[in-house]
Amino acid sequence: TASGYAQLSGTYTIGASGNYPNLTTAMNALNLQGINGHVRFEILPDYAGEPSSTTTINVAHLGPYPGMGQYNVTLTVHSSVTSQITIATNPGTGIAGRFVFRLTGVDNFTIDGGPNRLLKFTTGAPASGIGIIGLISDNTFHANPCKRITIRNIEIDGGDKTQTRVGIYLGQQSSFPGAANVAGNDNITIENCWIYGVQEGIILHGHSSRDKN
């Protein structure tokens, strides 16, 4: 006999009493199962953090998940949350990591902490070779651009402005920071975010056939 998992659609909660105990498990389900409708992940007040084994929370690092781009995926906090939720990992500086939360060639994804910025991303291990949120697009390693990505109403704390390289990064994974082949990247929105404790708040690093920017 063969077994499988249904594709995701609808609202799922993250926390001790939720559908998934942590964000790592929820994103693993997204990567494995894919989606067949709009999906909303809501973090509950009883969210207790990520497993110690998690260094980077990855989305689509092994390729597009089924249904990607056809429907929106939203990561936010549940309506019962009244104090800030903190997402923290200790990313390494290796090529496949480098970030607390990493989107690789993802299409149609929103991170929204709400008007009171009740969602925070941080690291307990500041280092010059890491960032907090990475939007990775590089034809050498991943054929898909990042597009229709919205990051709003969140707090980003790098932990040490003399160490952690960047808060939000769009570029390649082979060198850091490095100019990715960003042809096709489009509709990247970053708004109402508070970024601190990093060397640079935002790096958007790409190139055209004429010149780099």
Side-chain angles (χ1 to χ4, degrees):
T1 60
S3 61
Y5 298 93
Q7 290 181 312
L8 303 178
S9 180
T11 299
Y12 301 87
T13 52
I14 300 173
S17 61
N19 300 107
Y20 303 101
N22 49 63
L23 189 54
T24 299
T25 306
M27 294 303 101
N28 286 345
L30 174 64
N31 292 330
L32 176 65
Q33 297 171 232
I35 58 177
N36 62 1
H38 297 303
V39 171
R40 185 176 177 90
F41 292 103
E42 298 183 348
I43 304 176
L44 297 169
D46 62 6
Y47 166 79
E50 298 304 305
S52 59
S53 59
T54 297
T55 55
T56 294
I57 303 166
N58 275 297
V59 179
H61 59 303
L62 300 177
Y65 49 81
M68 188 175 79
Q70 299 178 48
Y71 307 99
N72 180 251
V73 176
T74 298
L75 173 63
T76 188
V77 295
H78 191 266
S79 59
S80 62
V81 171
T82 57
S83 58
Q84 193 175 65
I85 298 291
T86 298
I87 308 294
T89 72
N90 296 334
T93 57
I95 193 171
R98 291 184 176 151
F99 300 95
V100 172
F101 193 79
R102 171 177 166 147
L103 304 174
T104 306
V106 172
D107 180 5
N108 212 350
F109 198 103
T110 297
I111 304 172
D112 191 345
N116 295 317
R117 292 196 194 96
L118 292 176
L119 189 56
K120 175 181 177 179
F121 290 82
T122 189
T123 179
S128 59
I130 70 166
I132 305 302
I133 294 179
L135 310 178
I136 305 302
S137 179
D138 185 349
N139 282 351
T140 303
F141 295 93
H142 199 298
N144 299 293
C146 284
K147 55 186 178 181
R148 292 186 288 179
I149 307 294
T150 298
I151 303 173
R152 65 161 67 98
N153 301 325
I154 67 170
E155 191 171 323
I156 292 176
D157 179 7
D160 185 341
K161 67 180 181 181
T162 68
Q163 291 290 320
T164 302
R165 185 69 171 89
V166 62
I168 300 174
Y169 171 74
L170 171 62
Q172 68 171 239
Q173 69 175 1
S174 57
S175 61
F176 180 65
N181 186 346
V182 295
N185 283 270
D186 191 24
N187 201 1
I188 308 296
T189 301
I190 302 169
E191 62 181 1
N192 198 32
C193 296
W194 188 17
I195 305 173
Y196 58 93
V198 293
Q199 295 180 36
E200 297 184 65
I202 299 171
I203 298 176
L204 304 178
H205 200 167
H207 69 76
S208 69
S209 60
R210 291 187 55 205
D211 46 40
K212 295 185 178 182
N213 53 68

